């Protein structure tokens, strides 16, 4: 995947994710609609690839206004990843030379790798995660399980133990996936499945779409850096 | 402006420490009152989760999940209140929770005829050994209900 194609795919996928987020706000308070209706229209322009420098600039400014409106992210990590993608995309579009464009887009790829590796690291150093207790707590009393029936998973400690180690090992090993195109493709299918599971079990639908939007950056990055080694 | 830029920094330099510690989890419960000085007796959980969801319903929520995302935002507001930040942020979180409860009242099956005021409280749920412990950690101000169907 060349640089220009990776940028275009990121615009399309990020535009779709931002549109999906924005549509969810259109049935709420008027002062929220005033922020999210323009965001929806800009997201459509981003998908279509029209005036992308101006569109990403305005989307970033709207992102700041939304942060101010909610005094922080509305949807935690998904909002932060949305802003990170927009920021890197904007930098890559306005940078004066191809070298700086690649640095900006490479930063997004690097952050995607860190998003998995650091998540794995902070879990594996916690004894509650290593014993499976932390994931049991998530199902037993956290705000995330989407239905009461999911809380019963706490009665399957061996399953939760296996799931905990599966998630931690995969997150920690993710950087090694960059060593070959095949391993990266397999890893991205697994991570997309992981986000899909989180969307189903914990209702984190926005994470699913916005993390996938960063995948073209890492596919390009792997080819650019590792395939030439 | 400086405050908003401070909010932007964690997006540009993220920490990515998702679920590092499973902290005590807040529940939002509210009570409808007829008089301002009435003592709340019945507390309702805000938007309780369904008993069960089918796989098809989960798939639909992949594209359209505004109520759940709003509930998660309210949990964030509750966590901000419990963390006792600056008064301005605490006030913002309390206002957000109150107005979102008021908005869903007409679609609830509660008797609103005598309801003139609203209060919410935050109950912190955490595991103590094998048991779950519930602790009330915050009571909101008592908010007058101003609705179109009331004079």
């Amino acid at each position: 995947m060349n640089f220009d194609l990776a940028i275009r795919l990121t615009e399309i996928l990020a535009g779709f994710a931002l549109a999906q987020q924005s549509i969810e706000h259109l049935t709420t308070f008027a002062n929220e609609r005033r922020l999210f209706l323009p965001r929806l229209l800009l997201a459509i322009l981003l998908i279509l690839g029209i005036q992308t420098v101006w569109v990403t600039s305005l989307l970033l400014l709207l992102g700041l206004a939304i942060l101010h409106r909610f005094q922080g992210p509305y949807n935690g990590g998904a909002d932060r990843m949305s802003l990170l993608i927009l920021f890197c995309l904007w930098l890559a579009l306005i940078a004066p030379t191809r070298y700086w464009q690649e640095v900006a887009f490479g930063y997004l790829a690097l952050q995607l790798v860190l998003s998995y590796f650091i998540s794995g690291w902070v879990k594996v150093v916690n004894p509650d995660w290593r014993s499976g207790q932390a994931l049991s707590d998530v199902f037993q009393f956290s705000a995330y399980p989407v239905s009461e029936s999911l809380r019963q998973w706490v009665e399957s400690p061996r399953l939760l133990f296996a799931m905990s180690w599966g998630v931690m090992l995969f997150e920690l090993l993710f950087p090694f996936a960059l060593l070959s195109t095949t391993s990266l493709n397999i890893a991205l299918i697994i991570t997309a499945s992981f986000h899909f599971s989180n969307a189903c079990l914990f209702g984190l639908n926005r994470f699913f779409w916005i993390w996938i939007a960063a995948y073209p950056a890492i596919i390009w990055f792997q080819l650019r850096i590792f395939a030439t080694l | 402006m400086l405050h908003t830029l401070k909010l932007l920094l964690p997006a540009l330099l993220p920490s990515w420490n998702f679920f590092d510690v499973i902290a005590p989890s807040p529940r939002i419960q509210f009570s409808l009152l007829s008089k301002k000085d009435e003592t709340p007796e019945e507390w309702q959980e805000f938007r309780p989760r369904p008993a069960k969801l089918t796989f098809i319903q989960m798939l639909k929520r992949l594209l359209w999940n505004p109520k759940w995302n709003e509930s998660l935002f309210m949990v964030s507001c509750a966590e901000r209140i419990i963390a006792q930040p600056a008064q301005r942020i605490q006030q913002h979180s309390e206002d957000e929770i109150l107005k979102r409860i008021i908005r869903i009242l007409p679609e609830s099956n509660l008797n609103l005829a005598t309801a003139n005021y609203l209060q919410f409280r935050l109950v912190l749920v955490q595991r103590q050994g094998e048991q779950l412990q519930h602790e009330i950690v915050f009571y909101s101000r008592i908010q007058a209900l101003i609705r179109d169907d009331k004079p």
Side-chain angles (χ1 to χ4, degrees), chain A residues 76-107:
Chain A
D79 282 11
R80 287 188 173 141
M81 183 54 116
S82 305
L83 282 166
L84 179 66
I85 291 175
L86 278 175
F87 184 68
C88 293
L89 202 50
W90 176 71
L91 281 181
L93 291 170
I94 64 160
T97 64
R98 179 51 63 102
Y99 173 78
W100 287 110
Q101 290 171 357
E102 290 190 349
V103 168
F105 203 48
Y107 181 71

Side-chain angles (χ1 to χ4, degrees), chain A residues 20 24 32 69-71 74-75 107 111 119 126 129 133 137 141 144-145 148-149 202-203 209, chain B residues 3 12 16 19-20 27 49-51 61-63 65 68-70 80 92 96 99-100 103 127:
Chain A
Q20 187 279 327
E24 288 190 350
E32 279 181 41
R69 162 67 186 81
F70 296 113
Q71 289 297 299
Y74 181 82
N75 202 241
Y107 181 71
Q111 286 297 338
S119 295
N126 181 342
W129 267 102
Q133 183 64 57
D137 287 349
F141 67 82
Y144 293 101
E148 288 298 334
S149 62
F202 303 136
W209 298 114
Chain B
H3 174 66
L12 307 184
W16 304 128
F19 291 96
D20 53 342
R27 302 283 186 274
R49 73 200 65 233
R61 286 179 173 211
L62 210 54
L63 285 168
N65 205 11
W68 183 258
N69 282 318
E70 184 182 51
R80 287 179 200 165
H92 173 273
E96 286 288 329
K99 74 179 190 185
R100 287 167 200 278
R103 190 166 57 89
R127 184 176 48 78

Side-chain angles (χ1 to χ4, degrees), chain B residues 110-124:
Chain B
L110 296 167
N111 178 13
L112 303 177
T114 57
N116 295 310
Y117 295 93
L118 166 76
Q119 186 178 32
F120 77 83
R121 68 181 184 183
L122 300 178
V123 180
L124 211 49

Side-chain angles (χ1 to χ4, degrees), chain A residues 103-122:
Chain A
V103 168
F105 203 48
Y107 181 71
L108 176 58
L110 176 71
Q111 286 297 338
L112 185 71
V113 175
L114 291 176
S115 77
Y116 294 117
F117 179 74
I118 294 177
S119 295
W121 179 256
V122 297

Side-chain angles (χ1 to χ4, degrees), chain B residues 75-94:
Chain B
V75 169
S76 299
C77 289
E79 287 168 347
R80 287 179 200 165
I81 291 172
I82 292 165
Q84 296 181 324
Q87 179 62 32
R88 182 172 55 87
I89 309 232
Q90 179 139 346
Q91 181 73 47
H92 173 273
S93 297
E94 191 176 343

Side-chain angles (χ1 to χ4, degrees), chain B residues 1 7 10-11 20 23 36 42 51 56 59 74-75 85 90-91 94 99 104 117-118 123 126 133 141 146 148 151:
Chain B
M1 189 61 191
L7 296 175
D20 53 342
K36 197 170 186 180
E42 275 190 50
I56 299 295
L59 284 184
M74 289 171 71
V75 169
Q90 179 139 346
Q91 181 73 47
E94 191 176 343
K99 74 179 190 185
I104 63 139
Y117 295 93
L118 166 76
V123 180
Q126 59 188 316
Q133 189 184 63
R141 68 175 183 267
I146 302 163
D148 296 342

